[in-house]
Amino acid sequence: MNTSAMTHARRARSGGEVGSLTQAAARAGLAARGVIYVLVGVLALRIAFGDGSRQADRSGALAEIAQEPFGAVLLWALGIGVAGMAVWRLSEAVFGAVGPDGRKVRKRLLALVRCVFYAFVAYSVLSFATGSGTGGSSSDEQSRDVTARALGVPAGQWIVGAVAVGIIVAGVWIGVRAVRREYHKDLRLGEMSPGLRRLVDIAGVGGGAARGLVFAAAGAFALRAAVDYRPDRAKGLDDTLRSFAQTPFGPWLLVLVAAGVVLFGLFSFALARWRRV
C-alpha cells in the first residue's frame, strides 16, 4: 500500500472514530434530556394534585434525583449525558448536521445556540453533583432576574419584547412541527414495528405539542413583563406550569400539559435509540 493510500485509510478510520463518539454523545444527551423532562412532568403532576413542595423545573428535578439511592452517581451520569448533547450540537455547528440542509448557515447557527444552552445546563448539573452549586436557582428567579437586567438597559423594553415574541414563535414552531410529525425524517422508521411507531407518534405529537405550549406561554408572560415594564410578571418553567392550573379549566389543564411533558421525555428516549445522528 502506498503512502497516499495509507494516509487516506488513517483519515477514514479517524473520521469513523469521531463519528462514533459523536453518535454516543448525542444518544447519551438525548437520554439525559429525557430524564429531566420526565422528572419535571412528574413534579408538575404532583403540583396539579396538591403537592407543590418541589419546583417543577430543572432545579427541582435535580433535587429529586439527589434524594434517591446513589443520587450523586446519577447526577454525574446526567451531567455527563447533557455535556454529550452539547458536544453533539457543537459538531453539528462545525461539520453540519445529518440531512440535505444540514450544512446550511441557519442550521449551524441554531446548533451553536443549542450547544451553548446545553453546556450551561451541563455545568449546572455537574455543579450540583460536586456540591459546589445548587443546580442553579429556580427557573422563576432566573427569569425575573434576567428580565429585570434587560429592562434596565437602553431600549430594554424593546429587547425583552423582541425576545418574548421570539420565544412565542419558537413555541408555535415546536408545536406545529410535532403535530405535523416532521420528526419522522430524523428517525429510522424502518427499524420500528407498526405498533412501536404508533407509540412513538403518541409521545412525539403529544410531547411536542405540550412543550410548544409551555414555550409559548412563557413567552407570553415575558411579553407582558415588557409591556408593563414589570420584571416580576416574567415566569420561569415552574410558574408557567403552575399558571395552567389557574385557568378556567383548573388543575386538569395542568394535568394534561404535565402528562405531555412526560411524553416528551419518553420521546427523547425514543430519539436516543432511533434518531439519525
Side-chain angles (χ1 to χ4, degrees):
M1 182 180 294
N2 59 38
T3 304
S4 177
M6 292 177 64
T7 301
H8 180 75
R10 282 197 297 268
R11 287 178 178 175
R13 184 166 56 252
S14 176
E17 291 172 353
V18 171
S20 297
L21 289 173
T22 301
Q23 287 188 26
R27 302 198 190 286
L30 289 166
R33 186 182 71 176
V35 171
I36 293 174
Y37 269 94
V38 167
L39 287 175
V40 170
V42 170
L43 291 171
L45 284 171
R46 289 183 184 177
I47 292 172
F49 290 109
D51 180 8
S53 59
R54 187 79 74 188
Q55 295 280 320
D57 56 14
R58 186 177 66 251
S59 63
L62 295 181
E64 193 75 11
I65 293 173
Q67 291 184 342
E68 298 299 320
F70 306 105
V73 175
L74 294 174
L75 286 171
W76 273 102
L78 190 66
I80 293 171
V82 177
M85 179 76 91
V87 170
W88 171 40
R89 294 306 189 183
L90 178 61
S91 73
E92 288 189 329
V94 175
F95 303 109
V98 173
D101 60 343
R103 295 181 180 272
K104 290 184 177 179
V105 174
R106 180 181 62 84
K107 283 276 189 179
R108 293 192 177 200
L109 288 176
L110 182 59
L112 183 60
V113 171
R114 287 170 170 169
C115 170
V116 172
F117 170 75
Y118 284 112
F120 169 76
V121 175
Y123 172 77
S124 67
V125 175
L126 292 173
S127 295
F128 193 98
T130 60
S132 61
T134 60
S137 56
S138 74
S139 59
D140 304 319
E141 293 174 352
Q142 291 176 357
S143 295
R144 288 190 289 267
D145 183 55
V146 170
T147 303
R149 292 183 181 182
L151 287 175
V153 304
Q157 276 186 289
W158 290 101
I159 295 173
V160 174
V163 172
V165 170
I167 294 173
I168 294 171
V169 171
V172 174
W173 179 73
I174 289 171
V176 170
R177 282 174 56 87
V179 172
R180 294 175 60 181
R181 304 181 187 184
E182 293 192 17
Y183 54 81
H184 276 188
K185 66 179 183 292
D186 296 324
L187 293 174
R188 301 193 303 273
L189 296 174
E191 298 180 11
M192 302 180 190
S193 66
L196 181 58
R197 192 180 301 179
R198 283 193 293 271
L199 291 176
V200 170
D201 276 337
I202 291 172
V205 174
R211 186 178 181 228
L213 178 60
V214 172
F215 265 75
F221 286 122
L223 182 60
R224 182 182 177 187
V227 172
D228 295 343
Y229 203 80
R230 289 186 56 180
D232 60 298
R233 294 193 182 279
K235 296 181 184 292
L237 178 57
D238 178 69
D239 271 354
T240 299
L241 287 169
R242 291 174 189 266
S243 68
F244 289 114
Q246 300 167 5
T247 65
F249 299 100
W252 292 110
L253 179 57
L254 176 55
V255 170
L256 289 175
V257 175
V261 173
V262 173
L263 283 176
F264 185 77
L266 298 177
F267 179 64
S268 293
F269 295 145
L271 290 176
R273 172 63 178 83
W274 288 290
R275 195 188 196 283
R276 293 191 179 94
V277 179

